[in-house]
mmCIF file with all atom_site columns, all heavy atoms in Angstrom:
data_model
loop_
_atom_site.group_PDB
_atom_site.id
_atom_site.type_symbol
_atom_site.label_atom_id
_atom_site.label_alt_id
_atom_site.label_comp_id
_atom_site.label_asym_id
_atom_site.label_entity_id
_atom_site.label_seq_id
_atom_site.pdbx_PDB_ins_code
_atom_site.Cartn_x
_atom_site.Cartn_y
_atom_site.Cartn_z
_atom_site.occupancy
_atom_site.B_iso_or_equiv
_atom_site.pdbx_formal_charge
_atom_site.auth_seq_id
_atom_site.auth_comp_id
_atom_site.auth_asym_id
_atom_site.auth_atom_id
_atom_site.pdbx_PDB_model_num
ATOM 1   N N   . GLY A 1 1  ? 0.877  -1.228 -0.033  1.00 0.00 ? 1  GLY A N   1
ATOM 2   C CA  . GLY A 1 1  ? 0.009  -0.038 0.004   1.00 0.00 ? 1  GLY A CA  1
ATOM 3   C C   . GLY A 1 1  ? 0.789  1.265  0.013   1.00 0.00 ? 1  GLY A C   1
ATOM 4   O O   . GLY A 1 1  ? 2.015  1.231  0.614   1.00 0.00 ? 1  GLY A O   1
ATOM 5   N N   . VAL A 1 2  ? 0.405  2.239  -0.590  1.00 0.00 ? 2  VAL A N   1
ATOM 6   C CA  . VAL A 1 2  ? 1.233  3.461  -0.865  1.00 0.00 ? 2  VAL A CA  1
ATOM 7   C C   . VAL A 1 2  ? 1.611  4.138  0.522   1.00 0.00 ? 2  VAL A C   1
ATOM 8   O O   . VAL A 1 2  ? 2.703  4.656  0.699   1.00 0.00 ? 2  VAL A O   1
ATOM 9   C CB  . VAL A 1 2  ? 0.570  4.474  -1.746  1.00 0.00 ? 2  VAL A CB  1
ATOM 10  C CG1 . VAL A 1 2  ? -0.825 5.068  -1.094  1.00 0.00 ? 2  VAL A CG1 1
ATOM 11  C CG2 . VAL A 1 2  ? 1.446  5.515  -2.278  1.00 0.00 ? 2  VAL A CG2 1
ATOM 12  N N   . PHE A 1 3  ? 0.770  3.980  1.490   1.00 0.00 ? 3  PHE A N   1
ATOM 13  C CA  . PHE A 1 3  ? 1.058  4.606  2.777   1.00 0.00 ? 3  PHE A CA  1
ATOM 14  C C   . PHE A 1 3  ? 2.154  3.841  3.563   1.00 0.00 ? 3  PHE A C   1
ATOM 15  O O   . PHE A 1 3  ? 2.728  4.505  4.442   1.00 0.00 ? 3  PHE A O   1
ATOM 16  C CB  . PHE A 1 3  ? -0.289 4.503  3.698   1.00 0.00 ? 3  PHE A CB  1
ATOM 17  C CG  . PHE A 1 3  ? -0.675 3.092  4.026   1.00 0.00 ? 3  PHE A CG  1
ATOM 18  C CD1 . PHE A 1 3  ? -0.182 2.421  5.104   1.00 0.00 ? 3  PHE A CD1 1
ATOM 19  C CD2 . PHE A 1 3  ? -1.517 2.377  3.164   1.00 0.00 ? 3  PHE A CD2 1
ATOM 20  C CE1 . PHE A 1 3  ? -0.527 1.156  5.503   1.00 0.00 ? 3  PHE A CE1 1
ATOM 21  C CE2 . PHE A 1 3  ? -1.816 0.974  3.501   1.00 0.00 ? 3  PHE A CE2 1
ATOM 22  C CZ  . PHE A 1 3  ? -1.391 0.506  4.618   1.00 0.00 ? 3  PHE A CZ  1
ATOM 23  N N   . THR A 1 4  ? 2.483  2.698  3.069   1.00 0.00 ? 4  THR A N   1
ATOM 24  C CA  . THR A 1 4  ? 3.633  2.040  3.868   1.00 0.00 ? 4  THR A CA  1
ATOM 25  C C   . THR A 1 4  ? 4.923  2.728  3.622   1.00 0.00 ? 4  THR A C   1
ATOM 26  O O   . THR A 1 4  ? 5.874  2.592  4.424   1.00 0.00 ? 4  THR A O   1
ATOM 27  C CB  . THR A 1 4  ? 3.758  0.644  3.385   1.00 0.00 ? 4  THR A CB  1
ATOM 28  O OG1 . THR A 1 4  ? 4.117  0.526  1.963   1.00 0.00 ? 4  THR A OG1 1
ATOM 29  C CG2 . THR A 1 4  ? 2.525  -0.288 3.578   1.00 0.00 ? 4  THR A CG2 1
ATOM 30  N N   . ALA A 1 5  ? 5.049  3.530  2.666   1.00 0.00 ? 5  ALA A N   1
ATOM 31  C CA  . ALA A 1 5  ? 6.237  4.345  2.425   1.00 0.00 ? 5  ALA A CA  1
ATOM 32  C C   . ALA A 1 5  ? 6.447  5.414  3.535   1.00 0.00 ? 5  ALA A C   1
ATOM 33  O O   . ALA A 1 5  ? 7.672  5.526  3.990   1.00 0.00 ? 5  ALA A O   1
ATOM 34  C CB  . ALA A 1 5  ? 6.227  5.119  1.121   1.00 0.00 ? 5  ALA A CB  1
ATOM 35  N N   . ALA A 1 6  ? 5.366  5.993  4.047   1.00 0.00 ? 6  ALA A N   1
ATOM 36  C CA  . ALA A 1 6  ? 5.529  6.827  5.197   1.00 0.00 ? 6  ALA A CA  1
ATOM 37  C C   . ALA A 1 6  ? 5.846  6.096  6.451   1.00 0.00 ? 6  ALA A C   1
ATOM 38  O O   . ALA A 1 6  ? 6.735  6.586  7.218   1.00 0.00 ? 6  ALA A O   1
ATOM 39  C CB  . ALA A 1 6  ? 4.172  7.645  5.381   1.00 0.00 ? 6  ALA A CB  1
ATOM 40  N N   . GLU A 1 7  ? 5.264  4.908  6.608   1.00 0.00 ? 7  GLU A N   1
ATOM 41  C CA  . GLU A 1 7  ? 5.742  4.125  7.787   1.00 0.00 ? 7  GLU A CA  1
ATOM 42  C C   . GLU A 1 7  ? 7.179  3.705  7.725   1.00 0.00 ? 7  GLU A C   1
ATOM 43  O O   . GLU A 1 7  ? 7.877  3.757  8.743   1.00 0.00 ? 7  GLU A O   1
ATOM 44  C CB  . GLU A 1 7  ? 4.817  2.874  7.831   1.00 0.00 ? 7  GLU A CB  1
ATOM 45  C CG  . GLU A 1 7  ? 3.464  3.122  8.082   1.00 0.00 ? 7  GLU A CG  1
ATOM 46  C CD  . GLU A 1 7  ? 2.479  1.873  8.037   1.00 0.00 ? 7  GLU A CD  1
ATOM 47  O OE1 . GLU A 1 7  ? 2.882  0.851  7.383   1.00 0.00 ? 7  GLU A OE1 1
ATOM 48  O OE2 . GLU A 1 7  ? 1.440  1.992  8.625   1.00 0.00 ? 7  GLU A OE2 1
ATOM 49  N N   . ARG A 1 8  ? 7.731  3.292  6.536   1.00 0.00 ? 8  ARG A N   1
ATOM 50  C CA  . ARG A 1 8  ? 9.119  2.980  6.430   1.00 0.00 ? 8  ARG A CA  1
ATOM 51  C C   . ARG A 1 8  ? 10.003 4.122  6.600   1.00 0.00 ? 8  ARG A C   1
ATOM 52  O O   . ARG A 1 8  ? 11.025 3.980  7.248   1.00 0.00 ? 8  ARG A O   1
ATOM 53  C CB  . ARG A 1 8  ? 9.299  2.292  5.017   1.00 0.00 ? 8  ARG A CB  1
ATOM 54  C CG  . ARG A 1 8  ? 8.669  0.999  4.805   1.00 0.00 ? 8  ARG A CG  1
ATOM 55  C CD  . ARG A 1 8  ? 8.844  0.399  3.346   1.00 0.00 ? 8  ARG A CD  1
ATOM 56  N NE  . ARG A 1 8  ? 8.278  -0.871 3.240   1.00 0.00 ? 8  ARG A NE  1
ATOM 57  C CZ  . ARG A 1 8  ? 7.211  -1.063 2.508   1.00 0.00 ? 8  ARG A CZ  1
ATOM 58  N NH1 . ARG A 1 8  ? 6.546  -0.085 1.850   1.00 0.00 ? 8  ARG A NH1 1
ATOM 59  N NH2 . ARG A 1 8  ? 6.671  -2.330 2.470   1.00 0.00 ? 8  ARG A NH2 1
ATOM 60  N N   . ALA A 1 9  ? 9.610  5.249  6.084   1.00 0.00 ? 9  ALA A N   1
ATOM 61  C CA  . ALA A 1 9  ? 10.455 6.437  6.304   1.00 0.00 ? 9  ALA A CA  1
ATOM 62  C C   . ALA A 1 9  ? 10.559 6.722  7.708   1.00 0.00 ? 9  ALA A C   1
ATOM 63  O O   . ALA A 1 9  ? 11.636 7.049  8.281   1.00 0.00 ? 9  ALA A O   1
ATOM 64  C CB  . ALA A 1 9  ? 9.820  7.618  5.489   1.00 0.00 ? 9  ALA A CB  1
ATOM 65  N N   . HIS A 1 10 ? 9.538  6.705  8.427   1.00 0.00 ? 10 HIS A N   1
ATOM 66  C CA  . HIS A 1 10 ? 9.391  7.050  9.964   1.00 0.00 ? 10 HIS A CA  1
ATOM 67  C C   . HIS A 1 10 ? 10.403 5.953  10.529  1.00 0.00 ? 10 HIS A C   1
ATOM 68  O O   . HIS A 1 10 ? 11.294 6.444  11.558  1.00 0.00 ? 10 HIS A O   1
ATOM 69  C CB  . HIS A 1 10 ? 8.091  6.972  10.482  1.00 0.00 ? 10 HIS A CB  1
ATOM 70  C CG  . HIS A 1 10 ? 8.031  7.214  11.920  1.00 0.00 ? 10 HIS A CG  1
ATOM 71  N ND1 . HIS A 1 10 ? 8.313  8.436  12.500  1.00 0.00 ? 10 HIS A ND1 1
ATOM 72  C CD2 . HIS A 1 10 ? 7.680  6.341  12.899  1.00 0.00 ? 10 HIS A CD2 1
ATOM 73  C CE1 . HIS A 1 10 ? 8.115  8.335  13.771  1.00 0.00 ? 10 HIS A CE1 1
ATOM 74  N NE2 . HIS A 1 10 ? 7.841  7.073  14.080  1.00 0.00 ? 10 HIS A NE2 1
ATOM 75  N N   . GLU A 1 11 ? 10.144 4.786  10.201  1.00 0.00 ? 11 GLU A N   1
ATOM 76  C CA  . GLU A 1 11 ? 11.042 3.643  10.949  1.00 0.00 ? 11 GLU A CA  1
ATOM 77  C C   . GLU A 1 11 ? 12.505 3.886  10.768  1.00 0.00 ? 11 GLU A C   1
ATOM 78  O O   . GLU A 1 11 ? 13.240 3.564  11.561  1.00 0.00 ? 11 GLU A O   1
ATOM 79  C CB  . GLU A 1 11 ? 10.632 2.280  10.464  1.00 0.00 ? 11 GLU A CB  1
ATOM 80  C CG  . GLU A 1 11 ? 9.200  1.936  10.944  1.00 0.00 ? 11 GLU A CG  1
ATOM 81  C CD  . GLU A 1 11 ? 8.686  0.619  10.308  1.00 0.00 ? 11 GLU A CD  1
ATOM 82  O OE1 . GLU A 1 11 ? 9.398  0.110  9.452   1.00 0.00 ? 11 GLU A OE1 1
ATOM 83  O OE2 . GLU A 1 11 ? 7.509  0.311  10.481  1.00 0.00 ? 11 GLU A OE2 1
ATOM 84  N N   . LEU A 1 12 ? 12.845 4.445  9.534   1.00 0.00 ? 12 LEU A N   1
ATOM 85  C CA  . LEU A 1 12 ? 14.255 4.627  9.143   1.00 0.00 ? 12 LEU A CA  1
ATOM 86  C C   . LEU A 1 12 ? 14.775 6.039  9.642   1.00 0.00 ? 12 LEU A C   1
ATOM 87  O O   . LEU A 1 12 ? 15.899 6.286  9.468   1.00 0.00 ? 12 LEU A O   1
ATOM 88  C CB  . LEU A 1 12 ? 14.450 4.562  7.587   1.00 0.00 ? 12 LEU A CB  1
ATOM 89  C CG  . LEU A 1 12 ? 14.181 3.195  7.083   1.00 0.00 ? 12 LEU A CG  1
ATOM 90  C CD1 . LEU A 1 12 ? 14.064 3.338  5.538   1.00 0.00 ? 12 LEU A CD1 1
ATOM 91  C CD2 . LEU A 1 12 ? 15.207 2.234  7.487   1.00 0.00 ? 12 LEU A CD2 1
ATOM 92  N N   . GLY A 1 13 ? 13.947 6.789  10.295  1.00 0.00 ? 13 GLY A N   1
ATOM 93  C CA  . GLY A 1 13 ? 14.298 8.165  10.762  1.00 0.00 ? 13 GLY A CA  1
ATOM 94  C C   . GLY A 1 13 ? 14.324 9.140  9.648   1.00 0.00 ? 13 GLY A C   1
ATOM 95  O O   . GLY A 1 13 ? 14.942 10.248 9.901   1.00 0.00 ? 13 GLY A O   1
ATOM 96  N N   . ALA A 1 14 ? 13.816 8.989  8.476   1.00 0.00 ? 14 ALA A N   1
ATOM 97  C CA  . ALA A 1 14 ? 13.723 9.902  7.400   1.00 0.00 ? 14 ALA A CA  1
ATOM 98  C C   . ALA A 1 14 ? 12.549 10.959 7.688   1.00 0.00 ? 14 ALA A C   1
ATOM 99  O O   . ALA A 1 14 ? 11.588 10.600 8.272   1.00 0.00 ? 14 ALA A O   1
ATOM 100 C CB  . ALA A 1 14 ? 13.588 9.175  6.093   1.00 0.00 ? 14 ALA A CB  1
ATOM 101 N N   . ASN A 1 15 ? 12.814 12.123 7.130   1.00 0.00 ? 15 ASN A N   1
ATOM 102 C CA  . ASN A 1 15 ? 11.655 13.156 7.351   1.00 0.00 ? 15 ASN A CA  1
ATOM 103 C C   . ASN A 1 15 ? 11.203 13.549 5.827   1.00 0.00 ? 15 ASN A C   1
ATOM 104 O O   . ASN A 1 15 ? 10.430 14.473 5.792   1.00 0.00 ? 15 ASN A O   1
ATOM 105 C CB  . ASN A 1 15 ? 12.166 14.348 8.223   1.00 0.00 ? 15 ASN A CB  1
ATOM 106 C CG  . ASN A 1 15 ? 13.365 14.972 7.604   1.00 0.00 ? 15 ASN A CG  1
ATOM 107 O OD1 . ASN A 1 15 ? 13.871 14.733 6.570   1.00 0.00 ? 15 ASN A OD1 1
ATOM 108 N ND2 . ASN A 1 15 ? 13.875 15.859 8.518   1.00 0.00 ? 15 ASN A ND2 1
ATOM 109 N N   . THR A 1 16 ? 11.632 12.871 4.811   1.00 0.00 ? 16 THR A N   1
ATOM 110 C CA  . THR A 1 16 ? 11.092 13.052 3.441   1.00 0.00 ? 16 THR A CA  1
ATOM 111 C C   . THR A 1 16 ? 11.315 11.686 2.711   1.00 0.00 ? 16 THR A C   1
ATOM 112 O O   . THR A 1 16 ? 12.168 10.885 3.187   1.00 0.00 ? 16 THR A O   1
ATOM 113 C CB  . THR A 1 16 ? 11.865 14.276 2.850   1.00 0.00 ? 16 THR A CB  1
ATOM 114 O OG1 . THR A 1 16 ? 11.281 14.514 1.510   1.00 0.00 ? 16 THR A OG1 1
ATOM 115 C CG2 . THR A 1 16 ? 13.350 13.960 2.596   1.00 0.00 ? 16 THR A CG2 1
ATOM 116 N N   . PHE A 1 17 ? 10.761 11.525 1.635   1.00 0.00 ? 17 PHE A N   1
ATOM 117 C CA  . PHE A 1 17 ? 11.051 10.415 0.884   1.00 0.00 ? 17 PHE A CA  1
ATOM 118 C C   . PHE A 1 17 ? 10.466 10.554 -0.569  1.00 0.00 ? 17 PHE A C   1
ATOM 119 O O   . PHE A 1 17 ? 9.772  11.521 -0.901  1.00 0.00 ? 17 PHE A O   1
ATOM 120 C CB  . PHE A 1 17 ? 10.395 9.115  1.491   1.00 0.00 ? 17 PHE A CB  1
ATOM 121 C CG  . PHE A 1 17 ? 8.855  9.178  1.621   1.00 0.00 ? 17 PHE A CG  1
ATOM 122 C CD1 . PHE A 1 17 ? 8.162  8.767  0.474   1.00 0.00 ? 17 PHE A CD1 1
ATOM 123 C CD2 . PHE A 1 17 ? 8.289  9.602  2.735   1.00 0.00 ? 17 PHE A CD2 1
ATOM 124 C CE1 . PHE A 1 17 ? 6.687  8.850  0.582   1.00 0.00 ? 17 PHE A CE1 1
ATOM 125 C CE2 . PHE A 1 17 ? 6.891  9.603  2.946   1.00 0.00 ? 17 PHE A CE2 1
ATOM 126 C CZ  . PHE A 1 17 ? 6.073  9.266  1.852   1.00 0.00 ? 17 PHE A CZ  1
ATOM 127 N N   . GLN A 1 18 ? 10.908 9.635  -1.460  1.00 0.00 ? 18 GLN A N   1
ATOM 128 C CA  . GLN A 1 18 ? 10.465 9.696  -2.843  1.00 0.00 ? 18 GLN A CA  1
ATOM 129 C C   . GLN A 1 18 ? 9.954  8.203  -3.157  1.00 0.00 ? 18 GLN A C   1
ATOM 130 O O   . GLN A 1 18 ? 10.401 7.292  -2.648  1.00 0.00 ? 18 GLN A O   1
ATOM 131 C CB  . GLN A 1 18 ? 11.498 9.980  -3.809  1.00 0.00 ? 18 GLN A CB  1
ATOM 132 C CG  . GLN A 1 18 ? 11.130 9.971  -5.230  1.00 0.00 ? 18 GLN A CG  1
ATOM 133 C CD  . GLN A 1 18 ? 12.302 10.438 -6.243  1.00 0.00 ? 18 GLN A CD  1
ATOM 134 O OE1 . GLN A 1 18 ? 12.405 11.713 -6.307  1.00 0.00 ? 18 GLN A OE1 1
ATOM 135 N NE2 . GLN A 1 18 ? 13.004 9.719  -6.714  1.00 0.00 ? 18 GLN A NE2 1
ATOM 136 N N   . ILE A 1 19 ? 8.837  8.203  -3.899  1.00 0.00 ? 19 ILE A N   1
ATOM 137 C CA  . ILE A 1 19 ? 8.202  6.977  -4.345  1.00 0.00 ? 19 ILE A CA  1
ATOM 138 C C   . ILE A 1 19 ? 7.912  6.858  -5.739  1.00 0.00 ? 19 ILE A C   1
ATOM 139 O O   . ILE A 1 19 ? 7.812  8.051  -6.447  1.00 0.00 ? 19 ILE A O   1
ATOM 140 C CB  . ILE A 1 19 ? 6.946  6.557  -3.588  1.00 0.00 ? 19 ILE A CB  1
ATOM 141 C CG1 . ILE A 1 19 ? 5.876  7.613  -3.769  1.00 0.00 ? 19 ILE A CG1 1
ATOM 142 C CG2 . ILE A 1 19 ? 7.309  6.377  -2.029  1.00 0.00 ? 19 ILE A CG2 1
ATOM 143 C CD1 . ILE A 1 19 ? 4.513  7.230  -3.199  1.00 0.00 ? 19 ILE A CD1 1
ATOM 144 N N   . PHE A 1 20 ? 7.640  5.818  -6.439  1.00 0.00 ? 20 PHE A N   1
ATOM 145 C CA  . PHE A 1 20 ? 6.907  5.693  -7.612  1.00 0.00 ? 20 PHE A CA  1
ATOM 146 C C   . PHE A 1 20 ? 5.443  5.426  -7.263  1.00 0.00 ? 20 PHE A C   1
ATOM 147 O O   . PHE A 1 20 ? 5.216  4.535  -6.473  1.00 0.00 ? 20 PHE A O   1
ATOM 148 C CB  . PHE A 1 20 ? 7.394  4.586  -8.513  1.00 0.00 ? 20 PHE A CB  1
ATOM 149 C CG  . PHE A 1 20 ? 8.702  4.834  -9.088  1.00 0.00 ? 20 PHE A CG  1
ATOM 150 C CD1 . PHE A 1 20 ? 9.852  4.076  -8.626  1.00 0.00 ? 20 PHE A CD1 1
ATOM 151 C CD2 . PHE A 1 20 ? 8.913  5.754  -10.144 1.00 0.00 ? 20 PHE A CD2 1
ATOM 152 C CE1 . PHE A 1 20 ? 11.109 4.388  -9.098  1.00 0.00 ? 20 PHE A CE1 1
ATOM 153 C CE2 . PHE A 1 20 ? 10.158 5.989  -10.631 1.00 0.00 ? 20 PHE A CE2 1
ATOM 154 C CZ  . PHE A 1 20 ? 11.318 5.300  -10.117 1.00 0.00 ? 20 PHE A CZ  1
ATOM 155 N N   . SER A 1 21 ? 4.485  6.194  -7.839  1.00 0.00 ? 21 SER A N   1
ATOM 156 C CA  . SER A 1 21 ? 3.027  5.816  -7.476  1.00 0.00 ? 21 SER A CA  1
ATOM 157 C C   . SER A 1 21 ? 2.477  4.659  -8.261  1.00 0.00 ? 21 SER A C   1
ATOM 158 O O   . SER A 1 21 ? 1.371  4.271  -8.059  1.00 0.00 ? 21 SER A O   1
ATOM 159 C CB  . SER A 1 21 ? 2.205  7.108  -7.729  1.00 0.00 ? 21 SER A CB  1
ATOM 160 O OG  . SER A 1 21 ? 2.184  7.450  -9.017  1.00 0.00 ? 21 SER A OG  1
ATOM 161 N N   . SER A 1 22 ? 3.215  4.292  -9.396  1.00 0.00 ? 22 SER A N   1
ATOM 162 C CA  . SER A 1 22 ? 2.875  3.142  -10.182 1.00 0.00 ? 22 SER A CA  1
ATOM 163 C C   . SER A 1 22 ? 4.235  2.634  -10.746 1.00 0.00 ? 22 SER A C   1
ATOM 164 O O   . SER A 1 22 ? 5.309  3.263  -10.579 1.00 0.00 ? 22 SER A O   1
ATOM 165 C CB  . SER A 1 22 ? 1.926  3.775  -11.308 1.00 0.00 ? 22 SER A CB  1
ATOM 166 O OG  . SER A 1 22 ? 1.250  2.719  -12.007 1.00 0.00 ? 22 SER A OG  1
ATOM 167 N N   . SER A 1 23 ? 4.118  1.542  -11.494 1.00 0.00 ? 23 SER A N   1
ATOM 168 C CA  . SER A 1 23 ? 5.292  1.029  -12.078 1.00 0.00 ? 23 SER A CA  1
ATOM 169 C C   . SER A 1 23 ? 6.059  2.070  -12.942 1.00 0.00 ? 23 SER A C   1
ATOM 170 O O   . SER A 1 23 ? 5.225  2.556  -13.803 1.00 0.00 ? 23 SER A O   1
ATOM 171 C CB  . SER A 1 23 ? 5.024  -0.232 -12.871 1.00 0.00 ? 23 SER A CB  1
ATOM 172 O OG  . SER A 1 23 ? 6.140  -0.618 -13.539 1.00 0.00 ? 23 SER A OG  1
ATOM 173 N N   . PRO A 1 24 ? 7.299  2.338  -12.772 1.00 0.00 ? 24 PRO A N   1
ATOM 174 C CA  . PRO A 1 24 ? 7.958  3.296  -13.694 1.00 0.00 ? 24 PRO A CA  1
ATOM 175 C C   . PRO A 1 24 ? 8.207  2.767  -15.158 1.00 0.00 ? 24 PRO A C   1
ATOM 176 O O   . PRO A 1 24 ? 8.698  3.506  -15.874 1.00 0.00 ? 24 PRO A O   1
ATOM 177 C CB  . PRO A 1 24 ? 9.262  3.615  -12.965 1.00 0.00 ? 24 PRO A CB  1
ATOM 178 C CG  . PRO A 1 24 ? 9.567  2.374  -12.188 1.00 0.00 ? 24 PRO A CG  1
ATOM 179 C CD  . PRO A 1 24 ? 8.089  1.771  -11.814 1.00 0.00 ? 24 PRO A CD  1
ATOM 180 N N   . ARG A 1 25 ? 7.907  1.480  -15.360 1.00 0.00 ? 25 ARG A N   1
ATOM 181 C CA  . ARG A 1 25 ? 8.257  0.947  -16.761 1.00 0.00 ? 25 ARG A CA  1
ATOM 182 C C   . ARG A 1 25 ? 7.086  0.352  -17.375 1.00 0.00 ? 25 ARG A C   1
ATOM 183 O O   . ARG A 1 25 ? 7.165  -0.491 -18.258 1.00 0.00 ? 25 ARG A O   1
ATOM 184 C CB  . ARG A 1 25 ? 9.352  -0.063 -16.451 1.00 0.00 ? 25 ARG A CB  1
ATOM 185 C CG  . ARG A 1 25 ? 10.630 0.469  -15.880 1.00 0.00 ? 25 ARG A CG  1
ATOM 186 C CD  . ARG A 1 25 ? 11.735 -0.487 -15.879 1.00 0.00 ? 25 ARG A CD  1
ATOM 187 N NE  . ARG A 1 25 ? 12.886 0.019  -15.204 1.00 0.00 ? 25 ARG A NE  1
ATOM 188 C CZ  . ARG A 1 25 ? 13.716 0.966  -15.596 1.00 0.00 ? 25 ARG A CZ  1
ATOM 189 N NH1 . ARG A 1 25 ? 13.638 1.521  -16.739 1.00 0.00 ? 25 ARG A NH1 1
ATOM 190 N NH2 . ARG A 1 25 ? 14.782 1.383  -14.805 1.00 0.00 ? 25 ARG A NH2 1
ATOM 191 N N   . MET A 1 26 ? 5.899  0.652  -16.958 1.00 0.00 ? 26 MET A N   1
ATOM 192 C CA  . MET A 1 26 ? 4.526  0.249  -17.623 1.00 0.00 ? 26 MET A CA  1
ATOM 193 C C   . MET A 1 26 ? 3.708  1.315  -17.814 1.00 0.00 ? 26 MET A C   1
ATOM 194 O O   . MET A 1 26 ? 3.638  2.277  -17.011 1.00 0.00 ? 26 MET A O   1
ATOM 195 C CB  . MET A 1 26 ? 3.926  -0.815 -16.697 1.00 0.00 ? 26 MET A CB  1
ATOM 196 C CG  . MET A 1 26 ? 4.735  -2.148 -16.484 1.00 0.00 ? 26 MET A CG  1
ATOM 197 S SD  . MET A 1 26 ? 3.926  -3.255 -15.333 1.00 0.00 ? 26 MET A SD  1
ATOM 198 C CE  . MET A 1 26 ? 2.315  -3.396 -15.825 1.00 0.00 ? 26 MET A CE  1
#
């Protein structure tokens, strides 16, 4: 789920992040 990126960022101590919202090659 897209929201898991925020959870992962928090767990890693990050205060910003970048994601692909969809496959970057499709």
Side-chain angles (χ1 to χ4, degrees):
V2 70
F3 65 92
T4 63
E7 292 173 340
R8 290 179 179 109
H10 178 69
E11 290 168 6
L12 294 168
N15 57 12
T16 186
F17 63 85
Q18 179 172 278
I19 61 168
F20 290 109
S21 68
S22 196
S23 171
R25 300 188 189 285
M26 292 176 50

